[in-house]
Amino acid sequence: MAEQYDVIVLGSGPGGYVAAIRCAQLGLKTAIVERENLGGICLNWGCIPTKALLRSAEVLNHMKHAASYGLAADNIRADLDAVVKRSRGVAKQLNQGIGHLMKKNKIAVHMGSGVLKSATSVEVTGDKGAETLSAKHVIVATGARARDLPFAKADGGRVWTYRHAMTPKELPSNLLVIGSGAIGIEFASFYNDMGSNVTVVEMLDRVVPVEDADVSAFLQKALTKQGIKIMTGAGVETIAVGANGLKAKIKAKDGTITESDFSHVIVAVGIVPNTENIGLEALGVTSDRGFITIDGYGRTNVKNLWAIGDVTPGPWLAHKASHEGVIAAEAIAAELGNKDVHPHPMDRSNIPGCTYCHPQIASVGLTEAKAKEAGYTLKVGTFPFIGNGKAIALGEPEGFVKTVFDAKTGELLGAHMIGAEVTEMIQGFVVGKTLETTEAELMHTVFPHPTISESMHESVLAAYGKAIHI
């Protein structure tokens, strides 16, 4: 007889394990199915270990510039094996933490590959054979994987995805990065700081193309100054892998094709949802280009079947997946009769995005261009870090904060930052947007001094011609 649950969660990434915990908190008997590692890609091979790598690179960068802080440091070098070992240790520690959370919340963990046999049952095949689990509701949270290029299949040798790039056997001497989204730019930044010669090729006309145009322009200038070669409006035509490296034919913006030698290539051209072979087709689940169609609560078109995270439309971010997991869990609890939960649908305009390169990028809401396309009359304010005392004291005066307001209502439409620690500051604007704040509340907020966050305040003042320090 199939084991009975209230909810089965298929996948234990930041969407799946959060959904399972919230279900358990709400008194629902919950199971989670995972085929590889608790915590999914984010915790084991994505968000967390990459930040550990980038922290090592950041410390190395500071050490190389010790003289600018009045310090002396000699014979500075990076031990790649030790850097990778630290990163894997951080991932392992957090993986074990997820296991503890499952036990604490009395969530049944079934290790193996899960296939939907119906909207309320999952067959799990693991080391001990196959078993069938049944539930009143199932949440699909199977995540996504890196997209391959047809002429550059990743093998972990010379051609890498982000996963291979996190555990390199050697430091690339001459690295090609295809794609300048968050993943591509973060690895370009890491390997450049570690000592590789790095070239970034981006098909669109600017790097980090989802960001505000001013942020893209500033980042390209900063990365170029650091020694990274940036090619925008360009594409890689072919890659020929040899024993000692690879040759890439790159078509530039003007149409000319050149052939260049590289030691390794990282392919960072997007993701593919893990929706194949898990029973979705047989159930008639609606999807778009492989991504499962859902409503604001995570419901699919099939009753009792839900989906969250990277198997659904973007943005494909861990924190978006986690929030969707909470929403879906509470919506399920409400359907099962819990009158104490009142779920709200996901508002995608309030989801922040962060890129942990050097300098960091963080944003929320509409870019200036998108706001204009939407028909808004705008007030836009920008404040540079060079006018901020804390940024200068830190030796990090490169960057700015930009805010975009509706000139008619004062609504904060978007905020965009580049510079030191902006990924830690963006949440201030996210809270403001969620509370539907206007410029008045932000102007009347007292920001602590000295902090880089004062640049947030000044950018708001600048939008209305009231900036103090510029």
Side-chain angles (χ1 to χ4, degrees):
M1 178 179 289
E3 194 161 355
Q4 299 287 328
Y5 295 96
D6 292 315
V7 181
I8 297 169
V9 183
L10 190 56
S12 73
Y17 85 76
V18 169
I21 290 173
R22 187 64 184 127
C23 284
Q25 289 175 341
L26 292 167
L28 304 178
K29 185 180 180 183
T30 306
I32 199 162
V33 178
E34 173 56 54
R35 67 181 180 183
E36 190 173 6
N37 302 115
L38 289 174
I41 292 298
C42 171
L43 191 151
N44 294 281
W45 294 101
C47 315
I48 300 301
T50 57
K51 302 312 159 287
L53 293 175
L54 287 160
R55 177 60 171 167
S56 294
E58 181 184 31
V59 172
L60 176 64
N61 187 272
H62 284 313
M63 292 172 69
K64 287 179 179 178
H65 295 90
S68 65
Y69 296 92
L71 305 173
D74 300 320
N75 301 318
I76 299 164
R77 65 181 183 86
D79 182 337
L80 182 63
D81 290 342
V83 168
V84 172
K85 182 178 179 181
R86 175 181 179 271
S87 171
R88 300 316 308 156
V90 170
K92 181 179 179 181
Q93 179 181 344
L94 290 172
N95 169 268
Q96 292 170 343
I98 300 301
H100 168 73
L101 289 172
M102 296 298 101
K103 291 179 182 177
K104 176 184 175 182
N105 289 280
K106 297 180 174 56
I107 297 165
V109 176
H110 296 266
M111 298 302 295
S113 297
V115 176
L116 294 161
K117 307 310 289 184
S118 72
T120 56
S121 65
V122 178
E123 184 179 82
V124 183
T125 304
D127 293 340
K128 298 179 181 179
E131 59 178 333
T132 300
L133 314 177
S134 292
K136 297 169 184 174
H137 295 267
V138 174
I139 301 174
V140 177
T142 47
R145 62 189 184 277
R147 184 182 298 277
D148 266 326
L149 289 174
F151 55 83
K153 295 289 185 182
D155 58 7
R158 298 290 174 183
V159 183
W160 294 351
T161 65
Y162 63 84
R163 191 156 175 164
H164 304 119
M166 271 185 280
T167 55
K169 296 180 177 64
E170 59 186 348
L171 184 69
S173 57
N174 196 11
L175 175 66
L176 172 63
V177 178
I178 306 175
S180 74
I183 293 173
I185 286 295
E186 286 181 1
F187 277 115
S189 185
F190 169 74
Y191 278 107
N192 181 67
D193 281 344
M194 292 292 286
S196 301
N197 293 316
V198 179
T199 298
V200 176
V201 174
E202 169 57 52
M203 180 178 65
L204 299 179
D205 62 357
R206 55 190 177 91
V207 294
V208 287
V210 301
E211 301 292 344
D212 187 87
D214 289 341
V215 169
S216 293
F218 192 98
L219 180 65
Q220 181 163 339
K221 184 177 179 180
L223 295 180
T224 301
K225 184 178 178 181
Q226 293 170 28
I228 297 176
K229 182 179 180 181
I230 306 287
M231 300 179 68
T232 56
V236 177
E237 301 281 288
T238 62
I239 289 177
V241 179
N244 299 312
L246 57 92
K247 291 183 181 294
K249 288 186 178 179
I250 302 173
K251 186 175 183 180
K253 187 181 298 185
D254 63 5
T256 59
I257 297 178
T258 57
E259 187 174 71
S260 300
D261 293 315
F262 298 93
S263 63
H264 301 79
V265 58
I266 296 175
V267 179
V269 292
I271 62 171
V272 179
N274 294 323
T275 51
E276 312 97 332
N277 305 317
I278 60 172
L280 295 173
E281 297 88 350
L283 297 179
V285 176
T286 302
S287 64
D288 180 13
R289 292 171 297 172
F291 295 99
I292 300 171
T293 303
I294 57 172
D295 68 6
Y297 299 90
R299 295 185 185 90
T300 71
N301 64 305
V302 176
K303 185 174 175 56
N304 301 322
L305 187 65
W306 308 67
I308 60 173
D310 286 358
V311 293
T312 68
W316 298 291
L317 302 167
H319 45 278
K320 175 255 194 183
S322 295
H323 198 71
E324 283 182 324
V326 171
I327 291 171
E330 294 184 352
I332 288 170
E335 287 197 9
L336 292 176
N338 189 324
K339 299 186 183 303
D340 295 325
V341 292
H342 307 282
H344 296 275
M346 172 71 79
D347 184 349
R348 293 169 187 270
S349 69
N350 290 338
I351 300 172
C354 297
T355 303
Y356 298 82
C357 50
H358 180 234
Q360 294 180 5
I361 297 170
S363 60
V364 66
L366 297 175
T367 64
E368 182 178 0
K370 290 293 184 183
K372 287 179 178 176
E373 287 178 18
Y376 288 101
T377 302
L378 304 179
K379 283 189 177 292
V380 178
T382 301
F383 187 82
F385 278 18
I386 194 64
N388 178 269
K390 180 67 177 293
I392 295 171
L394 289 176
E396 300 274 7
E398 290 189 341
F400 64 83
V401 178
K402 178 177 181 178
T403 45
V404 182
F405 292 90
D406 181 349
K408 294 179 181 178
T409 66
E411 178 188 358
L412 176 64
L413 299 174
H416 311 276
M417 309 176 177
I418 183 167
E421 301 306 324
V422 296
T423 57
E424 296 291 342
M425 300 194 314
I426 190 63
Q427 194 58 29
F429 283 132
V430 177
V431 172
K433 278 192 91 285
T434 302
L435 294 175
E436 300 181 351
T437 192
T438 69
E439 89 289 354
E441 288 79 24
L442 291 168
M443 285 182 182
H444 294 153
T445 299
V446 179
F447 284 74
H449 175 79
T451 62
I452 300 176
S453 70
E454 290 174 277
S455 297
M456 299 166 64
H457 192 212
E458 292 273 16
S459 73
V460 177
L461 294 172
Y464 289 83
K466 299 179 181 181
I468 303 297
H469 290 98
I470 191 171

